Amino acid sequence: MPIINRIAEFHGEMTEWRQDLHANPELGLQEERTSGVVQAKLRDFGVDEVITGLANTGVIGVIRGRGTSQRAIGFRADMDALPILEQTDARHASKNRGVMHACGHDGHTAMLLGAARYLAETRNFDGTVYVIFQPAEEGLGGGKLMVEERLFERCPMEMVFGMHNWPELPAGTFAWRDGPIMAGAATLEITITGKGSHAALPHLGIDPIIIATQIVAALQTIVSRSINPAECGVISIGQIIGGDTFNVIPESVRMRGTARWFDAVIGNQLESGIRRLTTGIAESFGATAEIDYQRVMPATVNDVVATEIARRAASTVAGDTRVIPMKHPTMGAEDFAFMLEAKSGSYILLGARRDANDPMLHHPRYDFNDDILPIGASYWATLAEQQLPKSH
Ligand SMILES: [Zn+2]
Ligand SMILES: [Zn+2]
């Protein structure tokens, strides 16, 4: 059974839903219209219950199968868009200038809605399926909020599953991975305060620009010299702000960056290394350093058993040869990590590439590939039917 026939029949409708969401993107925790559309559709499909109010705009559809099983699983999609000025020529391009569905969450929402429609119509399973539409995946912690607002107590389930479209992989393939699949992430802001002076009289000041350059270089030794070479981590400084003109040594310099890791122990080593080197270097020059280090996401870690369940459903839909193990995890971060910290489950990538020039996620010319809508929806539906089989 590849794509489920009944789902293929409403491919056109799913495409309309997706393009409507694309034209009306909303930023994290402000997904009022999107949340309303999702609720209305779930009611229209005849799901048993629609739960709202979690994490502001979050929505959960409850679909009960035939039979008496108390078992339950959850599927999660994200609904938010990004603050990007869209540069596609699509007819369904964003009507909300400066806000864009550049990560395909419009497609994720449409695919899970497609699965909800099919599951509510056919109920070819025994148990409960929760379809979870979360707000604010892009850095505002919608997944964390849902967990804190007791998602898994209100909706008790054995496992939770997530999926992301991936334009680097051919359309219709799946990529799976046991253990870490995406990185933990922290944001970093360092302010070096020295003493401003005339650039020709540096001995009268304490130059924060020289200190910043030493710190930027020294931070790169944390990954190369302090952590076990068999492990991995990233520290990147992405922004340096300081100075106004060529002949003045400024008072202070600000630097912003990010750190990434998979193993929490490495995450701790990155943080302590950044604090130690930054403070030590600044002090050794007679300056001070203020460090604001915020851990924004844990690593996304897949459960082995749940991943085998996900892999099996993907193979049923796409065929064994199109379901590939990922050699390496990606250093990107994913808010679904918070759900996987609280509940075992698995996160899978769904290939979306049309051709070699297809833009990657977060690009202003990215547009979700509608061809894969029935594949993603069939994956969810198959996963439900395989994991919650009807008794005979
Ligand atoms: Zn994104
Ligand atoms: Zn995304």
Side-chain angles (χ1 to χ4, degrees), residues 190-231:
I190 298 170
T191 307
I192 309 296
T193 305
K195 190 176 170 207
S197 74
H198 193 298
L201 306 169
H203 59 293
L204 300 179
I206 298 171
D207 187 348
I209 287 184
I210 294 290
I211 300 166
T213 62
Q214 311 282 320
I215 291 171
V216 170
L219 292 185
Q220 292 311 311
T221 67
I222 298 171
V223 172
S224 66
R225 303 289 90 172
S226 295
I227 71 170
N228 183 333
E231 297 285 351

Side-chain angles (χ1 to χ4, degrees), residues 9 21 25 33 54 68 80 92 107 111 114 125 143 149 177 195 200 233 249 252 263 285 313 317 324 330 361 369-370:
E9 278 172 25
L21 293 170
R33 179 187 183 276
L54 260 81
T68 53
D80 58 322
H92 54 270
M111 291 190 288
F125 61 98
E149 294 177 16
R177 195 167 201 284
K195 190 176 170 207
I249 290 170
S252 67
D263 185 329
F285 282 94
V317 174
I324 34 185
T330 125
L361 305 171
N369 182 354
D370 289 316

Side-chain angles (χ1 to χ4, degrees), residues 139 141 144 184-187 258-261 293-298 333 335 338:
K144 185 174 187 227
T187 59
T258 185
R260 306 286 168 113
W261 64 89
Y293 185 93
Q294 308 274 353
R295 292 185 194 213
V296 287
M297 275 181 216
D335 178 282
F338 290 108

Side-chain angles (χ1 to χ4, degrees), residues 76 78 80 82 102-105 108 137-138 163-166 333-334 347 361-362:
R76 167 275 201 180
D78 36 18
D80 58 322
L82 285 153
C103 204
H105 300 182
H108 302 165
E137 190 284 322
E138 300 285 2
M163 173 168 54
H164 208 295
N165 82 99
W166 210 251
E334 164 59 67
Y347 181 83
L361 305 171
H362 292 208

Side-chain angles (χ1 to χ4, degrees), residues 184-188 234-236 257-261 270 274 293:
T187 59
L188 170 64
V234 177
I235 297 173
S236 291
T258 185
R260 306 286 168 113
W261 64 89
L270 296 180
I274 288 167
Y293 185 93

Side-chain angles (χ1 to χ4, degrees), residues 2-214:
I3 291 168
I4 294 172
N5 285 337
R6 175 64 190 127
I7 289 177
E9 278 172 25
F10 56 77
H11 188 178
E13 277 171 89
M14 276 195 287
T15 304
E16 284 168 25
W17 307 340
R18 201 289 291 181
Q19 296 183 355
D20 169 70
L21 293 170
H22 189 93
N24 297 281
E26 295 168 300
L27 293 175
L29 301 176
Q30 301 168 30
E31 305 92 338
E32 304 289 342
R33 179 187 183 276
T34 308
S35 175
V37 167
V38 168
Q39 291 169 42
K41 291 220 183 296
L42 291 175
R43 292 205 170 92
D44 193 38
F45 302 155
V47 306
D48 297 277
E49 203 184 327
V50 177
I51 301 170
T52 60
L54 260 81
N56 215 31
T57 49
V59 185
I60 303 151
V62 186
I63 310 166
R64 296 196 182 90
R66 297 179 214 267
T68 53
S69 169
Q70 296 300 305
R71 298 182 58 203
I73 52 174
F75 303 151
R76 167 275 201 180
D78 36 18
M79 302 189 289
D80 58 322
L82 285 153
I84 293 177
L85 184 63
E86 179 157 355
Q87 288 174 21
T88 73
D89 303 321
R91 267 181 302 145
H92 54 270
S94 172
K95 292 189 229 165
N96 186 1
R97 196 178 156 78
V99 180
M100 178 189 174
H101 268 298
C103 204
H105 300 182
D106 47 351
H108 302 165
T109 298
M111 291 190 288
L112 191 54
L113 281 172
R117 175 176 175 174
Y118 168 84
L119 291 170
E121 200 173 271
T122 54
R123 313 233 178 202
N124 234 339
F125 61 98
D126 187 6
T128 301
V129 174
Y130 294 103
V131 286
I132 305 162
F133 297 86
Q134 78 146 80
E137 190 284 322
E138 300 285 2
L140 290 170
K144 185 174 187 227
L145 267 176
M146 283 192 115
V147 172
E148 284 170 0
E149 294 177 16
R150 307 180 67 250
L151 166 68
F152 295 119
E153 288 77 23
R154 292 178 66 165
C155 305
M157 62 188 80
E158 292 172 4
M159 288 177 180
V160 65
F161 295 87
M163 173 168 54
H164 208 295
N165 82 99
W166 210 251
E168 281 184 314
L169 296 168
T173 59
F174 286 87
W176 59 272
R177 195 167 201 284
D178 283 336
I181 184 164
M182 294 228 177
T187 59
L188 170 64
E189 187 162 322
I190 298 170
T191 307
I192 309 296
T193 305
K195 190 176 170 207
S197 74
H198 193 298
L201 306 169
H203 59 293
L204 300 179
I206 298 171
D207 187 348
I209 287 184
I210 294 290
I211 300 166
T213 62
Q214 311 282 320

